[in-house]
PDB file of all heavy atoms in Angstrom:
ATOM      1  N   ILE A 302      21.312  13.383  -0.088  1.00  0.00           N
ATOM      2  CA  ILE A 302      20.346  13.859   0.899  1.00  0.00           C
ATOM      3  C   ILE A 302      19.034  13.095   0.769  1.00  0.00           C
ATOM      4  O   ILE A 302      18.447  12.661   1.771  1.00  0.00           O
ATOM      5  CB  ILE A 302      20.093  15.369   0.734  1.00  0.00           C
ATOM      6  CG1 ILE A 302      21.421  16.146   0.706  1.00  0.00           C
ATOM      7  CG2 ILE A 302      19.192  15.870   1.856  1.00  0.00           C
ATOM      8  CD1 ILE A 302      22.297  15.937   1.916  1.00  0.00           C
ATOM      9  N   ALA A 303      18.592  12.891  -0.456  1.00  0.00           N
ATOM     10  CA  ALA A 303      17.327  12.190  -0.685  1.00  0.00           C
ATOM     11  C   ALA A 303      17.373  10.767  -0.140  1.00  0.00           C
ATOM     12  O   ALA A 303      16.399  10.279   0.453  1.00  0.00           O
ATOM     13  CB  ALA A 303      17.006  12.169  -2.177  1.00  0.00           C
ATOM     14  N   GLY A 304      18.490  10.095  -0.318  1.00  0.00           N
ATOM     15  CA  GLY A 304      18.612   8.723   0.185  1.00  0.00           C
ATOM     16  C   GLY A 304      18.536   8.656   1.691  1.00  0.00           C
ATOM     17  O   GLY A 304      17.932   7.738   2.263  1.00  0.00           O
ATOM     18  N   THR A 305      19.136   9.639   2.366  1.00  0.00           N
ATOM     19  CA  THR A 305      19.086   9.670   3.833  1.00  0.00           C
ATOM     20  C   THR A 305      17.673   9.938   4.322  1.00  0.00           C
ATOM     21  O   THR A 305      17.200   9.312   5.280  1.00  0.00           O
ATOM     22  CB  THR A 305      20.042  10.741   4.369  1.00  0.00           C
ATOM     23  OG1 THR A 305      21.362  10.506   3.848  1.00  0.00           O
ATOM     24  CG2 THR A 305      20.109  10.701   5.892  1.00  0.00           C
ATOM     25  N   VAL A 306      16.985  10.872   3.680  1.00  0.00           N
ATOM     26  CA  VAL A 306      15.598  11.163   4.050  1.00  0.00           C
ATOM     27  C   VAL A 306      14.729   9.927   3.853  1.00  0.00           C
ATOM     28  O   VAL A 306      13.909   9.576   4.709  1.00  0.00           O
ATOM     29  CB  VAL A 306      15.050  12.339   3.217  1.00  0.00           C
ATOM     30  CG1 VAL A 306      13.553  12.510   3.441  1.00  0.00           C
ATOM     31  CG2 VAL A 306      15.788  13.625   3.565  1.00  0.00           C
ATOM     32  N   HIS A 307      14.912   9.258   2.737  1.00  0.00           N
ATOM     33  CA  HIS A 307      14.118   8.060   2.445  1.00  0.00           C
ATOM     34  C   HIS A 307      14.350   6.983   3.497  1.00  0.00           C
ATOM     35  O   HIS A 307      13.412   6.316   3.943  1.00  0.00           O
ATOM     36  CB  HIS A 307      14.470   7.537   1.054  1.00  0.00           C
ATOM     37  CG  HIS A 307      13.563   6.459   0.568  1.00  0.00           C
ATOM     38  ND1 HIS A 307      13.860   5.114   0.706  1.00  0.00           N
ATOM     39  CD2 HIS A 307      12.349   6.512  -0.033  1.00  0.00           C
ATOM     40  CE1 HIS A 307      12.879   4.394   0.189  1.00  0.00           C
ATOM     41  NE2 HIS A 307      11.948   5.216  -0.251  1.00  0.00           N
ATOM     42  N   PHE A 308      15.594   6.823   3.918  1.00  0.00           N
ATOM     43  CA  PHE A 308      15.902   5.850   4.969  1.00  0.00           C
ATOM     44  C   PHE A 308      15.186   6.203   6.268  1.00  0.00           C
ATOM     45  O   PHE A 308      14.596   5.345   6.922  1.00  0.00           O
ATOM     46  CB  PHE A 308      17.410   5.792   5.205  1.00  0.00           C
ATOM     47  CG  PHE A 308      17.783   5.131   6.512  1.00  0.00           C
ATOM     48  CD1 PHE A 308      17.603   3.770   6.699  1.00  0.00           C
ATOM     49  CD2 PHE A 308      18.290   5.887   7.559  1.00  0.00           C
ATOM     50  CE1 PHE A 308      17.925   3.164   7.917  1.00  0.00           C
ATOM     51  CE2 PHE A 308      18.619   5.301   8.764  1.00  0.00           C
ATOM     52  CZ  PHE A 308      18.429   3.930   8.949  1.00  0.00           C
ATOM     53  N   LEU A 309      15.235   7.472   6.661  1.00  0.00           N
ATOM     54  CA  LEU A 309      14.615   7.881   7.921  1.00  0.00           C
ATOM     55  C   LEU A 309      13.097   7.675   7.909  1.00  0.00           C
ATOM     56  O   LEU A 309      12.483   7.558   8.971  1.00  0.00           O
ATOM     57  CB  LEU A 309      14.941   9.342   8.219  1.00  0.00           C
ATOM     58  CG  LEU A 309      16.381   9.619   8.657  1.00  0.00           C
ATOM     59  CD1 LEU A 309      16.633  11.115   8.747  1.00  0.00           C
ATOM     60  CD2 LEU A 309      16.685   8.947   9.993  1.00  0.00           C
ATOM     61  N   ALA A 310      12.523   7.642   6.731  1.00  0.00           N
ATOM     62  CA  ALA A 310      11.084   7.416   6.625  1.00  0.00           C
ATOM     63  C   ALA A 310      10.741   5.946   6.405  1.00  0.00           C
ATOM     64  O   ALA A 310       9.567   5.610   6.248  1.00  0.00           O
ATOM     65  CB  ALA A 310      10.518   8.247   5.464  1.00  0.00           C
ATOM     66  N   SER A 311      11.750   5.091   6.429  1.00  0.00           N
ATOM     67  CA  SER A 311      11.532   3.676   6.147  1.00  0.00           C
ATOM     68  C   SER A 311      11.310   2.873   7.427  1.00  0.00           C
ATOM     69  O   SER A 311      11.545   3.353   8.543  1.00  0.00           O
ATOM     70  CB  SER A 311      12.740   3.103   5.409  1.00  0.00           C
ATOM     71  OG  SER A 311      13.847   2.948   6.298  1.00  0.00           O
ATOM     72  N   SER A 312      10.909   1.624   7.256  1.00  0.00           N
ATOM     73  CA  SER A 312      10.677   0.734   8.405  1.00  0.00           C
ATOM     74  C   SER A 312      11.975   0.417   9.135  1.00  0.00           C
ATOM     75  O   SER A 312      11.948   0.022  10.306  1.00  0.00           O
ATOM     76  CB  SER A 312      10.012  -0.564   7.926  1.00  0.00           C
ATOM     77  OG  SER A 312      10.823  -1.222   6.975  1.00  0.00           O
ATOM     78  N   ALA A 313      13.118   0.594   8.465  1.00  0.00           N
ATOM     79  CA  ALA A 313      14.412   0.304   9.084  1.00  0.00           C
ATOM     80  C   ALA A 313      14.826   1.366  10.101  1.00  0.00           C
ATOM     81  O   ALA A 313      15.771   1.151  10.858  1.00  0.00           O
ATOM     82  CB  ALA A 313      15.490   0.175   8.013  1.00  0.00           C
ATOM     83  N   ALA A 314      14.123   2.497  10.123  1.00  0.00           N
ATOM     84  CA  ALA A 314      14.535   3.615  10.984  1.00  0.00           C
ATOM     85  C   ALA A 314      13.503   3.943  12.055  1.00  0.00           C
ATOM     86  O   ALA A 314      13.484   5.058  12.568  1.00  0.00           O
ATOM     87  CB  ALA A 314      14.798   4.845  10.127  1.00  0.00           C
ATOM     88  N   ARG A 315      12.708   2.981  12.439  1.00  0.00           N
ATOM     89  CA  ARG A 315      11.621   3.276  13.366  1.00  0.00           C
ATOM     90  C   ARG A 315      12.094   3.580  14.796  1.00  0.00           C
ATOM     91  O   ARG A 315      11.352   4.143  15.598  1.00  0.00           O
ATOM     92  CB  ARG A 315      10.624   2.103  13.420  1.00  0.00           C
ATOM     93  CG  ARG A 315       9.974   1.752  12.108  1.00  0.00           C
ATOM     94  CD  ARG A 315       9.524   2.978  11.343  1.00  0.00           C
ATOM     95  NE  ARG A 315       8.611   3.820  12.130  1.00  0.00           N
ATOM     96  CZ  ARG A 315       8.423   5.103  11.926  1.00  0.00           C
ATOM     97  NH1 ARG A 315       9.111   5.739  10.999  1.00  0.00           N
ATOM     98  NH2 ARG A 315       7.573   5.775  12.664  1.00  0.00           N
TER      99      ARG A 315
END
Side-chain angles (χ1 to χ4, degrees):
I302 309 303
T305 305
V306 171
H307 190 265
F308 163 70
L309 287 173
S311 74
S312 59
R315 300 316 304 156

